Amino acid sequence: MKILGIIPARGGSKGVPRKNIKLLGGKPLIAYTAEVALKSEFINTLILSSEDEEIIAIAESLGIEVPFKRPADLALDASPTLPVILHALEFYKKQNMYFDAVCLLQTTSPFRTVAFLDKAIQTFIEKDTDSLFSVQEVPHEYNPHWVFEEKEDKTLQIATGENDIITRRQDLPKAFHRDGSIYITKTSVLLEQQSLFGNSISYIESPKKWYVNIDTLKDWEKAEELVNNK
């Protein structure tokens, strides 16, 4: 399977300004993802997608290919991820290069390992699902079977739509949330369904001990603690 690895890193971060190249433990945040992805057994081509010249220069110094500059209209606060991926695939299509799947690696989850990344890709290949993403288990008190949502009349209903609540914690099915570290999707699903997920999704659970998804300064402080405690 031929896999394109994409590290998206725009310059306009608001929660943590310039976070993609902000120094964490003495090196740019983007370096953590680059170092792991470049050693992956399964990623055939690894690229950066960015509109920012400084980020591009640092990425290139780390050994990441930067075959194009991301269009400004795909680097806005509200820009979704899917068009960024499609832009990269279209670029390679014009070069007569094609990939079976895309592995998206966000810099905001810096502490994944090579072994974890390769295990995720291997699981994706073996399961032959439309997509795979990394997850964290939802604590039982936030399980969707125990969560209520507001109706139009300002009363509550169980978020799953059930009439009766599951009373015992032991009877709750496991629930997971995406943790932002790894997304892998078949190219055919991206192009034909315009979806990151498709109809079948496999998963890999990230170890809690090094999980962080940097979006705010508080998240950055947690990342610094993890680096200092390594």
Side-chain angles (χ1 to χ4, degrees):
M1 178 174 280
K2 194 173 181 182
I3 297 177
L4 173 65
I6 301 178
I7 300 176
R10 67 185 187 89
S13 171
K14 294 294 191 295
V16 182
R18 307 295 291 165
K19 68 182 174 187
N20 286 307
I21 54 176
K22 184 177 172 69
L23 295 184
L24 176 66
K27 59 185 178 182
L29 179 64
I30 195 173
Y32 290 86
T33 297
E35 290 167 359
V36 167
L38 287 167
K39 294 175 183 175
S40 171
E41 179 183 341
F42 297 99
I43 294 177
N44 302 92
T45 300
L46 177 68
I47 67 168
L48 176 88
S49 175
S50 181
E51 87 297 355
D52 188 280
E53 293 287 358
E54 187 178 10
I55 295 175
I56 289 172
I58 290 175
E60 289 178 329
S61 74
L62 294 168
I64 307 172
E65 293 183 37
V66 189
F68 54 77
K69 189 174 180 181
R70 192 197 301 185
D73 63 335
L74 294 181
L76 305 174
D77 285 345
S79 296
T81 300
L82 181 60
V84 172
I85 297 174
L86 296 178
H87 172 260
L89 289 173
E90 180 63 24
F91 171 85
Y92 280 109
K93 180 181 178 181
K94 292 177 180 177
Q95 316 300 314
N96 289 316
M97 289 182 64
Y98 300 91
F99 298 89
D100 300 301
V102 171
C103 179
L104 187 78
L105 298 169
Q106 300 186 124
T107 64
T108 48
S109 295
F111 302 131
R112 64 180 82 75
T113 64
V114 178
F116 180 72
L117 173 57
D118 281 350
K119 183 180 178 182
I121 299 174
Q122 189 169 17
T123 300
F124 169 72
I125 294 170
E126 291 173 354
K127 293 287 187 182
D128 193 28
T129 51
D130 286 345
S131 64
L132 173 145
F133 51 78
S134 55
V135 301
Q136 292 281 305
E137 186 173 353
V138 175
H140 69 270
E141 61 266 33
Y142 301 124
N143 189 288
H145 293 273
W146 278 9
V147 171
F148 292 82
E149 61 184 15
E150 188 179 55
K151 297 193 293 185
E152 288 185 5
D153 64 0
K154 302 300 182 182
T155 60
L156 297 178
Q157 65 180 7
I158 303 172
T160 57
E162 297 164 303
N163 292 322
D164 299 315
I165 199 164
I166 297 174
T167 56
R168 289 173 15 105
R169 174 180 57 81
Q170 296 87 339
D171 295 331
L172 289 170
K174 280 190 175 184
F176 301 94
H177 68 87
R178 295 171 293 156
D179 66 14
S181 179
I182 299 173
Y183 292 88
I184 313 170
T185 311
K186 289 180 178 178
T187 302
S188 58
V189 172
L190 292 163
L191 296 175
E192 296 166 15
Q193 299 185 31
Q194 299 284 295
S195 170
L196 276 173
F197 308 117
N199 299 316
S200 57
I201 306 168
S202 50
Y203 71 93
I204 185 168
E205 195 167 353
S206 299
K208 287 184 171 60
K209 63 182 179 181
W210 45 259
Y211 168 67
V212 65
N213 190 359
I214 302 172
D215 184 49
T216 66
L217 287 173
K218 186 176 180 180
D219 298 329
W220 184 272
E221 291 170 0
K222 179 181 177 182
E224 288 183 322
E225 290 177 9
L226 288 169
V227 167
N228 293 333
N229 291 332
K230 276 191 174 182

